[in-house]
Amino acid sequence: MSSWVRVVAGALAAAVMTGTAACAPASLPVEVGPAPSSSVSQEPVQVTGANGAPPTLEYDKPFDVVRSGSRTVWPGTGDMLERDDPVLLNLYAEDGRDGTELQNTFRTAPAAYTMTESSLGNDLFEALEGQRVGARLSLLDEQDGVPVLVVVDVLPARASGTAGEPPGKGLPQVRLDDLGAPTVRVPDAEPPSDLVVHPLIRGAGPQVRAGQIVTVEFTAVRWSDGSVVDTTWTEGTPPQSAEIGIGKLVEGWDQGLLEQTVGSQVMLVVPPDSGYADTTSRLAGETMVYVVDILDTHQAVAEDEPRQAGDEKTQEEEG
């Protein structure tokens, strides 16, 4: 099929975790071709909406796609996208005939890819080359007679901001590899009896608020032996998403991540009574250390409220 935008209609099927489950990938792939020629006359699609919010598209309906193409609604100011690095995207698509919503990861969870042709498709890979985190792109195509209008937001795939104070003596120490994946070294000491919330990197994004869907990369380590219990930093494992602050996550997460900012990396030391105490989990008596990169947060809404931030969720904790 020659079309460079392929949209599968319908909402994402998000998994509700009782243990650890990855958020469902987007059902879009989006493939982007070359920008329209300057000789082609086509009424523009006006894209409005704040950064981090689902866009609003304004155009005459039914829309006629004269030539497939893409443009930058606004450039990003974050890290440059590099080959083989993780890429996190929010995707919104409409049927240009009547404005029907075809895809909206703002109501579910962002979609994780890798910056390669095999993951993104050749055309979308080329469109994203040279873009920075924070960019918003507008895409047009016609598929089987249906005009398809897509907006793509490039989200951070790792924490980025101002370095916080290193953890003090008696707390775990964290080192990051080139992609941002943490290694946690637990001290030979008794764990703290109270919840510890220690920002390692302070991001400049919005604060996490109760009831929102938060998307994170994380690593979970057992204090007792320093072993990694769970991590999203393995190949093929996407970031995970969950509603926060409403009792769907362990108390340590609900307390520790609220009011932290998007872009932050936060170390949580969660004692049993803020974790899995009084449960049947194999971690019921364990103090857990989590290193959490906060990549995105948006408000959850009901399915009958189109064009608002997402309402599906996947939990991201070890059960």
Side-chain angles (χ1 to χ4, degrees), residues 133-146:
V133 169
R136 171 170 280 185
L137 308 178
S138 175
L139 322 172
L140 302 176
D141 190 43
E142 185 170 319
Q143 179 182 333
D144 299 328
V146 177

Side-chain angles (χ1 to χ4, degrees), residues 169-171 186-192 223-224:
K169 185 178 180 180
L171 289 177
V186 177
D188 184 14
E190 289 297 314
W223 183 291
S224 60

Side-chain angles (χ1 to χ4, degrees), residues 228-253:
V228 175
V229 172
D230 197 9
T231 182
T232 59
W233 289 99
T234 55
E235 185 175 358
T237 303
Q240 295 189 14
S241 300
E243 284 184 286
I244 193 162
I246 59 173
K248 294 190 175 183
L249 300 175
V250 296
E251 183 181 343
W253 279 68

